[in-house]
Amino acid sequence: MATQTQTIRRGFQPTRVHDYLYDPHHVSASERDHARSTFKAHTSVDRVKRVPLYDTMFSELRHHPRFQMRLDVTDPVPKFISRQWRGYADQKREQLIRYTTFNYDPSVQVPPKQFADAEVSGRNRYKFFKRPIIPFLTQIPPEVLLATARQDPLVGTDQLHMERPPTPPTKTVETQTDYRDSEAQTDPYTPEYVVRPGSAPELLTLATLSYGRGLPAGLAEVEMIERARAKRAWEATLPPLNDTSQLDKRRRMMDEMERKEWALREQEIEKLQEARLEVLKKLLKQREENHQELNIKRLDKLWSKKQKDKEVKIKRIRNEHIKTIRKLTGKRKKVEGKLERRQIINEYSGYGSQTYAPLTRIGMFLDRGSEQYVVKSRHLSTYQGLMELEASLPDFVLNPRIKAPKPKTVTKAGHTKRKFRQEQELMEMHETIKEARTRGEEPPKPLRFLQKIEKPIPRPPTPAVDEPSEEAEQEVKKQEKQATLALQRQRRLHEHKEFLVDEAMSHLEGSSLGDMMDFLSKELIRLQEERRIHAFSMLAERQRRIREAEESGRRQVEERRRREEDEVFKQVIKVHQRSVDTYLQDIIMNSVDHTADLQARAEIMETAEKINDVAYEVEDNRTQLESEEIVADLVHCFLLPEVQKITVRDKVKRSQRRYLLAAHKEIVKDGEENDQYECQTSENCPDNYRCPSTGGN
């Protein structure tokens, strides 16, 4: 059995009906496409309306429909909107370009292409925002998370080729067709058949059923088939038409079958009415639920609004109370003392005063609204989110490779700068001092040519005592003093050199630390600005969506209001036209009636005069015998038929008298049986109501 595809339409449409007129970015390839879009907009399903027919509003018959489909003649597009194709200028420009390309004609000038104002500083400013440049890092869009590199970058290409999976021999390729599934879906195939002469298969009675109209068969179709079988069996039992003796029997059977069919039809109508009543009950129940839900929402909204107003008032009262109590406390402190003037200079000179650091209890909040700039994300607030964010980041983000820029040490002329030359000298001096500290005392070098020389035993010296003179002692003291001063001078020079080296090293360390802290502070400021710009962009996008939704809702309300006003205008015009038609019709009918009355009166007067003249002439010429004949004719035409009618009426009354007496007896008997029951509704009966059981008021 073939399958049937059902397309479920969502609340989304790629284009609107009149985008080819309103949307400035809509492009039609040619004038034919523009005409096709215009025709499609004029013949859209939205303009087709159901118009009820009041004469057959509750009809169920096909040849008397309840409504008819009409196309709305009101054009939803205002008259000041241009209906022409907007591509004539571009088409003319392309023709000029093509002409100047193949023909050299300096007199022909191609007009420049005009672009609309982008409004960069206006409403389209958010479209020109750009992500700031991240130094020393690859730019990554904030909405894209690159996959982590799972391969080792140090692995060779041979190993990579060995680990690559083999290419499959076949691939699945998707195809696209120009036909939809609903167009490719067809009805089940019905083969040709040949009926044997003289036979009537029962299956041919179901030839009116087709796929989607009775097939596949359901409960209703099965009941219809059973009724058709029973009707064919009944038709087989009917007496033949050529038998005149059984015509009454045939008529009775047909009347009975017709009553059964009418009863069946009434049952079907009752079922349809019950189904409609159920649907109506569901709709009414749903409407009541919607009304109740709307009332509940309205009450909740009012209650929340009142609560908010209440909280605001309570907060205002509390703030006023705190402020008043604080003022009273300040005044109480200065009751006995003197009033102190405000020291403005002291307040602005001290950075811990209320001017620079106000207290929160006074009502100053320096970081008010700072929570709206905090980025709230699952990847930043939960451990699992941090793990996912770390796993999604590439290697160069987790392990940044930052190369500091090398400063230029050489000038344009090729000379080394004084700053870098001093730094180089200081570095060489530092290396020399560092080597001297780590080296320590050098061990004595071994002799290359070692020979043992025997010295003679020296003779003991002759003891003698020299008496030094005063000049020699002074000379010795002077030499010792000079040696001490030389040692002190050398120590001062050494300490000065060490101080210079330490100062240079501290300067280098301070400059490097300052550069690093400056770089880190700039990075922090950049990240904060980036987050703030991202938050601004999100707020702008949200505001844009809200404005688009409001604008679409406002446009729908305006269109609905325009349709309502058009309908009201049509109804008013129709009422005015009907009033004018009725007024004119009444005037015409009154004038026709008055004219007809006058003409009839004139004709009647003329006819009466003629009849009177004829009657007078006949009366003058009439004899006694003619008068008796006229009297006899009047008696025979008027009096005798009336007497005969009265006699016939009396006979009919006498014949019906016995039936009336029997019915009266039965009614009297039923009334006597009902008298034994008490009247339960006597309290609710009106004063002028005659009770059928008691016979009284």
Side-chain angles (χ1 to χ4, degrees), residues 156-189:
T157 56
D158 298 332
Q159 297 182 7
L160 290 176
H161 286 300
M162 292 298 293
E163 294 176 0
R164 183 176 180 274
T167 304
T170 59
K171 293 182 179 179
T172 303
V173 180
E174 297 180 356
T175 59
Q176 184 178 3
T177 176
D178 294 336
Y179 301 97
R180 297 174 59 187
D181 294 340
S182 59
E183 295 177 355
Q185 183 68 39
T186 57
D187 294 341
Y189 172 68

Side-chain angles (χ1 to χ4, degrees), residues 217-258:
L219 180 61
E221 284 75 14
V222 172
E223 292 179 355
M224 185 266 292
I225 293 170
E226 293 296 333
R227 288 198 300 270
R229 285 179 178 176
K231 189 170 183 179
R232 286 196 297 272
W234 172 77
E235 289 176 354
T237 59
L238 280 175
L241 288 172
N242 54 8
D243 190 359
T244 58
S245 61
Q246 295 184 355
L247 288 177
D248 295 336
K249 182 180 179 182
R250 181 182 179 89
R251 189 180 297 107
R252 287 195 302 272
M253 292 177 66
M254 292 181 68
D255 293 340
E256 185 178 359
M257 178 55 68
E258 187 176 359

Side-chain angles (χ1 to χ4, degrees), residues 490-508:
Q490 289 179 0
R491 187 177 63 183
R492 289 173 183 172
L493 289 174
H494 182 68
E495 289 178 355
H496 182 64
K497 288 182 180 179
E498 287 185 354
F499 176 73
L500 291 177
V501 171
D502 293 339
E503 185 179 1
M505 293 301 297
S506 62
H507 177 69
L508 290 174

Side-chain angles (χ1 to χ4, degrees), residues 106 109 262 279 284 315 427 454 506 558 565 586 604 682:
Q109 297 292 333
W262 278 109
V279 172
L284 291 175
K315 187 176 180 181
M427 289 300 294
E454 294 181 359
S506 62
E558 289 178 357
E565 290 177 356
D586 292 340
I604 288 170
S682 60

Side-chain angles (χ1 to χ4, degrees), residues 502-541:
D502 293 339
E503 185 179 1
M505 293 301 297
S506 62
H507 177 69
L508 290 174
E509 291 176 357
S511 61
S512 61
L513 288 174
D515 294 339
M516 184 175 64
M517 296 302 293
D518 182 49
F519 174 74
L520 292 177
S521 64
K522 289 180 179 178
E523 283 293 316
L524 179 61
I525 293 171
R526 184 188 60 77
L527 289 175
Q528 291 177 355
E529 290 294 326
E530 181 181 352
R531 288 185 178 179
R532 188 168 64 84
I533 291 170
H534 180 66
F536 282 161
S537 63
M538 295 293 290
L539 289 174
E541 184 68 20

